[in-house]
Amino acid sequence: MYLSVTIISLNEQFLVNNMNESQMKMKKILIVGTGFSGAVIARRLAEQGHVITVIDQRDHIGGNSYDARDDKTDVMVHVYGPHIFHTDNEVVWNYVNQFSVMMPYINRVKATVNDQVFSLPINLHTINQFFSKTCSPDEAKKLITDKADKNITDPATFEDQALAFIGKELYEAFFKGYTIKQWGMEPKELPASILKRLPVRFNYDDNYFNHKFQGMPKDGYTQMIKNILEHKNIEVKLKSIFCKEEADSYDHTFYSGPLDEYFNYQNGRLGYRTLDFEKFYHEGDYQGCAVMNYCSVDVPYTRITEHKYFSPWEKHEGSVCYKEYSRACTEKDIPYYPIRQVGEMELLRSYLTLAEQEKNITFVGRLGTYRYLDMDVTIAEAMKTADLYLDSLNTGNVMPVFSVEVK
Ligand SMILES: Cc1cc2nc3c(=O)[nH]c(=O)nc-3n(C[C@H](O)[C@H](O)[C@H](O)COP(=O)(O)OP(=O)(O)OC[C@H]3O[C@@H](n4cnc5c(N)ncnc54)[C@H](O)[C@@H]3O)c2cc1C
């Protein structure tokens, strides 16, 4: 009897010790932002037993990938601009398929130029139509080589690079006006690095993306992110703006808000482009495709998106479309595309120096690291960040303020 009691009490002691150890390892984490960055980190850490609070200043989850059904037409609308999921990363593709049924979707973009409609990216059809020819692939290669500006041997600007690749006519028709509207500056002010490869295909492939996997979530991105966040260890608080003091009651913070905002813009504002969307309705079918670019500067918008085409498996009588305008981002606007020109990079470096002095925080995502990131890259980086944090708990290494190269 005595022996058995001793054994029981030893077991209990063992359990208590073990509980304390696991409880000690369990961290209280704050995540700022419910976009893909925040959601993926939250899920990965929650699955390892950590207790997560995710806050967002908006009244909805999903960050800029947020979509919602239009009241009038019931069409699923990508509220912050069209989002197409495409990736070569099989791990990421399997991950999104875990949280959503991914429907087959191929992005085929058209462009209106000089009162004609062309296919993008520039392919054999575009070339033949544009030059009124019937070139074979080899003939088209020769044509483009002949058109390319051979006097430009060391292109420094976007304009020079484009002229060196495809020549004046195609550059002016498809790139010049669109770039001026998109970035609010002349292509000769932009670096050549923007156009890394020849932007032309010598076959009739009009799939806008080259990636192995491409698709659309059947029930939308918001539902996918809701599924990612659905875990007993995750609490989501909307309409909740981050303040630094809040972080003190957590073991670690992952911050996917704007880097300059975190420091109260003390060195100035990082430059972004913002977008204005002009919504309109159409009975039936407005343009016959999801995305129509308008390349001329004479048309003030860059493109029109007809959102029912992003869900080709659904049927809708009515249609909702958006004209998209790009302009410089002011204090009141939503930051969309980081500009990352020389001036901004200098400012960025000053914020990176400040960030490196912070403790128990990691800056993540498109706003936290001031980079344009596609969703697949965002997810891959978020997975890596969470793994790095878990590793830091095991090894005792300090979790870095940035888990990726930002400069
Ligand atoms: C117009 C446009 C089109 C795009 N199209 C594609 C596409 O076709 N394919 C693709 O793969 N990618 C596309 N992207 C990129 C995609 O939007 C990003 O990869 C994704 O949004 C990045 O997720 P994130 O979580 O880092 O940031 P976000 O989605 O921006 O999420 C950040 C969240 O943090 C919240 N937040 C910020 N500051 C605070 C604060 N102080 N307190 C509380 N909450 C805060 C914000 O409200 C937001 O919800 C596009 C982007 C844009 C702008």
Side-chain angles (χ1 to χ4, degrees), residues 158 175-187 190:
F158 174 81
F175 288 97
K176 190 174 179 186
Y178 195 87
T179 307
I180 292 170
K181 288 193 286 185
Q182 177 80 353
W183 291 105
M185 56 183 98
E186 292 289 328
L190 292 164

Side-chain angles (χ1 to χ4, degrees), residues 344-360:
E344 279 84 18
M345 294 311 279
E346 224 169 88
L347 192 53
L348 173 64
R349 276 190 287 278
S350 77
Y351 281 118
L352 297 185
T353 308
L354 285 175
E356 291 297 346
Q357 289 154 27
E358 295 290 302
K359 297 230 170 354
N360 302 326

Side-chain angles (χ1 to χ4, degrees), residues 252 385-400:
H252 199 86
T385 305
D387 289 348
L388 205 62
Y389 180 69
L390 293 170
D391 193 51
S392 78
L393 295 181
N394 287 330
T395 58
N397 290 341
V398 175
M399 179 64 190

Side-chain angles (χ1 to χ4, degrees), residues 32-39 55-58 60-65 80-86 209 221 240-243 255-258 261 275 277 303 324 335-337 364-368 372-378:
V32 181
T34 58
F36 274 110
S37 296
I55 62 165
D56 205 297
Q57 62 192 1
R58 292 174 173 163
H60 62 73
I61 61 164
N64 271 19
S65 308
Y80 298 94
H83 278 65
I84 296 104
F85 201 94
H86 53 97
F209 298 113
Y221 292 101
S240 176
I241 300 177
F242 171 74
C243 67
Y255 177 87
S256 72
E261 186 187 294
L275 299 174
F277 294 101
R303 57 183 175 176
E324 189 173 316
Y336 278 90
Y337 297 109
V364 295
R366 63 176 199 100
L367 298 167
Y372 175 82
L373 300 174
D374 272 328
M375 291 179 282
D376 63 326
V377 179
T378 306

Side-chain angles (χ1 to χ4, degrees), residues 191-250:
S193 56
I194 291 179
L195 211 58
K196 291 188 186 109
R197 275 171 281 142
L198 181 67
V200 171
R201 289 182 190 153
F202 296 105
N203 57 29
Y204 289 98
D205 178 7
D206 63 350
N207 180 350
Y208 197 76
F209 298 113
N210 289 316
H211 288 137
K212 190 170 162 192
F213 306 104
Q214 193 172 165
M216 281 287 179
K218 186 164 181 278
D219 299 314
Y221 292 101
T222 310
Q223 184 60 47
M224 187 202 286
I225 290 178
K226 188 167 181 254
N227 295 343
I228 296 173
L229 288 169
E230 214 145 86
H231 190 283
K232 65 179 170 46
N233 287 358
I234 300 176
E235 183 193 12
V236 177
K237 288 185 189 165
L238 296 177
K239 292 194 256 179
S240 176
I241 300 177
F242 171 74
C243 67
K244 278 188 183 174
E245 293 70 42
E246 196 178 359
D248 294 342
S249 49
Y250 292 88

